[in-house]
Amino acid sequence: MTHDPRLLVLSENDNVGILTSTVKAGETIQVAGENVTLPDTLGLGHKLALRNIAKGEDILKYSFPIGFAGTDIPLGTHVHVHNLTSRYTTVEIME
């Protein structure tokens, strides 16, 4: 798969890539060989879908599930709290 050099893929199993720099609204970025125009400015560390991700499917970063898709997420879409449900759990501290 060909990705824009500003998109870091940590593992070949991942379905999200991480931006290594800011991409401004209206800019086109290549994701998995497809040209995707971003509707919003996204900064360093934000995630983009490397392929279509179905609702309920695990979001994989570094081959580790960090959450699941709350909605269908098309290729190249920003993956964040609006469409990702975290798998991290609240930890209660015992005193």
Side-chain angles (χ1 to χ4, degrees):
M1 279 191 244
T2 304
H3 303 294
D4 189 285
R6 297 171 289 180
L7 191 59
L8 174 65
V9 179
L10 299 170
S11 168
E12 65 183 33
N13 298 321
D14 290 354
N15 55 13
V16 294
I18 295 97
L19 290 174
T20 60
S21 64
T22 297
V23 179
K24 296 190 187 260
E27 274 192 76
T28 298
I29 186 169
Q30 191 171 66
V31 181
E34 299 287 327
N35 288 325
V36 175
T37 302
L38 296 184
D40 302 305
T41 297
L42 299 175
L44 171 73
H46 283 267
K47 297 174 291 301
L48 295 180
L50 297 177
R51 60 174 177 76
N52 294 328
I53 302 171
K55 180 179 180 178
E57 188 177 345
D58 282 339
I59 304 295
L60 300 176
K61 180 178 167 186
Y62 239 138
S63 292
F64 184 79
I66 60 170
F68 60 93
T71 63
D72 288 339
I73 304 172
L75 176 135
T77 299
H78 182 212
V79 177
H80 199 54
V81 296
H82 65 283
N83 58 10
L84 172 138
T85 300
S86 177
R87 290 243 189 256
Y88 299 121
T89 57
T90 304
V91 176
E92 189 174 319
I93 298 174
M94 305 285 288
E95 292 187 36

